[in-house]
Amino acid sequence: MRVMILGSGVIGVTSAWYLAKAGHEVTVVDRQPEAALETSFANAGQVSPGYSAPWAAPGVPLKAIKWMMQDLAPLRLGLTADPRMYSWLFKMLMNCNEKSYRINKARMVRVAEYSRDCLKNLRDELSLDYDHRTQGTLQLFRTQKQVDASLSDIAILEECGVNYQALDRQGCINVEPGLRHVQSKYVGGLRLPGDETGDCFKFTQALAKACEAAGVVFKYDTEIDGLLTTGDSIDGVRTSEGLLTADRYLVAMGSYSPLLLKTIGINAPIYPVKGYSITIPLVDEDKAPQSTVMDETFKIAITRLNDRIRVGGTAEICGYNLKMPPDRQRNVNHSVGDLFPGGGDLSNATFWTGLRPMTPDGTPILGGSKYRNLFINSGHGTLGWTMSTGSAKYIADVISGHKPEISSEGLGIERYGSARAPRLKAQYAG
């Protein structure tokens, strides 16, 4: 069967791998000249199944107001004329309750834990060089109030069977020795030893090469302009290189997925949440992190990538805006400079921004659509790499007509009750 994947980020490339392994003839289409040049390029570097939780949680609306009032604000809201932003925000607010949080977190953990297992199996099969480390994630608490608030998350981790360690100050130093230089800055932490770190760009590029060796065709520098539909079927993809056809189509375009899907009457509630990162050269091993440290106060992830340190954070809801105001770099600079002073060379930091494709309930959209040969693998938010291999294996099974290895409950677009668009005669959409 011929399968066409739209998008060559970590989601699209992992999907290509599993579909090729299933025996399909796979083509990947992307506007970029290489794989993983957009959201997958310089993310925080975490594979964090234990840290999988929806942003929509009890108390978040009040916290969000406080965050936006901070000097180093972890959340920013830019007013736009885009009604989709306000619709998405409303849906997210409707999920900010205890019942929804527990349901959504359980769904996310289901996918993330499965993805962790798939990634381990993939590493056993392929030798991929991507600065990989398996030393867990440390969520660092600067106040006792944060320690107390973590108890509800710990309860859910226990329900989901996720391994964790509640640490005091010395416990934090034992797993991250560099923190001994700043002991007055924090009071404790929550460690998730099953989490991993690495460079998502390196991973995706290496896997893309393995895909090519397995027969996958990558059509780079190719703009996707629209979809050709007849009744309940997709007949082709209109591109800058002409009409491309296949038997099955998979949309894996991150934040741009809903824009394409909307042209054929599918309302996917995915909205871009802008994030920033810096990558700095390592200068002192003794003062640098060993794995990932999450600064809970500023919502910043500080990750070790061999001879570099990646620092990522800030959630900016401002539409498809890729501008990089210099003051945004101050947020990410502060955490690494405050917790690991002298570990990296901030004067040589490389600044980057990307759009995280977020759903209002946190769970990605995985599965089929109202078109019998169109499938979706998108909306992973900040957990694209964390959930990539599991989402890809799941969607490959769905497309292949095989029973997935995890439950499908709550993963498809039907959970939003999207209205069906009227069936039209053959036409170009977009």
Side-chain angles (χ1 to χ4, degrees):
M1 183 164 60
R2 296 177 304 144
V3 182
M4 184 170 297
I5 300 172
L6 309 182
S8 71
V10 68
I11 301 300
V13 172
T14 51
S15 298
W17 172 256
Y18 286 107
L19 284 163
K21 290 285 290 181
H24 302 299
E25 181 182 325
V26 181
T27 300
V28 180
V29 183
D30 198 287
R31 63 186 177 184
Q32 297 291 348
E34 298 177 46
L37 290 185
E38 296 196 25
T39 299
S40 300
F41 182 71
N43 64 22
Q46 299 166 261
V47 178
S48 302
Y51 206 73
S52 299
W55 286 18
V60 161
L62 181 58
K63 288 180 182 178
I65 294 172
K66 292 179 179 178
W67 289 334
M68 287 188 286
M69 298 297 289
Q70 289 179 205
D71 178 40
L72 297 169
L75 174 66
R76 296 174 183 269
L77 180 62
L79 298 180
T80 74
D82 185 359
R84 290 176 302 120
M85 184 182 86
Y86 301 102
S87 173
W88 181 86
L89 284 170
F90 177 76
K91 289 183 175 72
M92 182 178 177
L93 287 172
M94 292 300 98
N95 278 277
C96 291
N97 58 79
E98 188 65 34
K99 180 180 178 182
S100 295
Y101 179 78
R102 286 181 172 273
I103 291 172
N104 295 333
K105 183 176 177 68
R107 290 171 177 170
M108 294 174 72
V109 169
R110 184 200 322 155
V111 177
E113 294 273 293
Y114 177 57
S115 191
R116 176 201 59 201
D117 296 340
C118 290
L119 178 58
K120 288 180 179 178
N121 293 335
L122 182 61
R123 278 203 306 271
D124 289 341
E125 184 176 0
L126 299 173
S127 179
L128 302 177
D129 178 15
Y130 59 96
D131 296 347
H132 173 232
R133 291 182 175 224
T134 56
Q135 293 164 263
T137 296
L138 175 63
Q139 186 179 6
L140 199 67
F141 303 129
R142 292 178 182 261
T143 68
Q144 185 59 43
K145 185 177 180 181
Q146 291 172 344
V147 173
D148 296 340
S150 71
L151 296 178
S152 60
D153 278 336
I154 287 175
I156 296 174
L157 290 174
E158 290 179 342
E159 287 180 15
C160 297
V162 178
N163 190 19
Y164 72 90
Q165 297 168 344
L167 304 177
D168 58 13
R169 184 181 284 117
Q170 185 56 50
C172 293
I173 293 172
N174 291 343
V175 296
E176 286 288 353
L179 290 173
R180 70 183 183 278
H181 301 291
V182 292
Q183 295 186 43
S184 64
K185 302 284 187 179
Y186 58 94
V187 298
L190 177 64
R191 182 172 181 251
L192 302 169
D195 289 1
E196 305 177 9
T197 59
D199 188 320
C200 183
F201 171 72
K202 283 188 173 183
F203 171 85
T204 308
Q205 288 252 315
L207 186 58
K209 288 183 172 60
C211 285
E212 289 179 326
V216 175
V217 175
F218 286 84
K219 291 185 176 294
Y220 294 122
D221 295 309
T222 303
E223 293 283 345
I224 297 167
D225 299 324
L227 299 171
L228 177 66
T229 67
T230 303
D232 66 349
S233 177
I234 303 297
D235 293 339
V237 182
R238 185 161 55 92
T239 76
S240 57
E241 298 299 314
L243 184 67
L244 303 178
T245 63
D247 302 308
R248 302 285 187 273
Y249 301 86
L250 175 63
V251 177
M253 295 169 60
S255 295
Y256 297 90
S257 296
L259 302 184
L260 179 68
L261 293 170
K262 187 176 178 60
T263 66
I264 55 171
I266 297 176
N267 296 314
I270 298 170
Y271 202 74
V273 177
K274 190 178 181 182
Y276 299 90
S277 78
I278 57 170
T279 305
I280 59 179
L282 180 75
V283 295
D284 190 337
E285 173 89 21
D286 181 65
K287 297 178 179 178
Q290 295 302 307
S291 188
T292 290
V293 174
M294 289 290 304
D295 186 346
E296 177 64 15
T297 299
F298 300 104
K299 307 297 181 183
I300 298 291
I302 307 167
T303 299
R304 175 71 175 276
L305 300 175
N306 287 355
D307 61 350
R308 298 164 294 146
I309 301 173
R310 173 71 50 73
V311 191
T314 304
E316 190 167 352
I317 305 171
C318 57
Y320 293 84
N321 175 351
L322 286 169
K323 293 180 180 178
M324 296 168 57
D327 68 303
R328 302 296 193 267
Q329 187 172 346
R330 192 164 61 99
N331 285 40
V332 286
N333 281 7
H334 173 77
S335 281
V336 67
D338 194 46
L339 296 175
F340 296 99
D345 182 4
L346 275 169
S347 66
N348 280 311
T350 301
F351 190 35
W352 175 85
T353 190
L355 302 177
R356 310 175 183 107
M358 301 284 290
T359 61
D361 56 11
T363 307
I365 298 174
L366 310 176
S369 72
K370 65 184 183 182
Y371 295 93
R372 60 178 178 79
N373 61 343
L374 180 69
F375 301 83
I376 304 169
N377 187 1
S378 193
H380 297 73
T382 60
L383 297 166
W385 192 18
T386 294
M387 295 185 174
S388 61
T389 50
S391 296
K393 180 63 168 65
Y394 174 90
I395 204 69
D397 284 338
V398 171
I399 291 174
S400 302
H402 302 152
K403 182 180 179 180
E405 296 172 343
I406 59 172
S407 169
S408 299
E409 186 280 322
L411 302 184
I413 194 169
E414 65 275 2
R415 71 181 185 267
Y416 297 113
S418 299
R420 288 181 173 270
R423 296 288 181 258
L424 304 176
K425 294 183 179 179
Q427 63 171 328
Y428 279 112

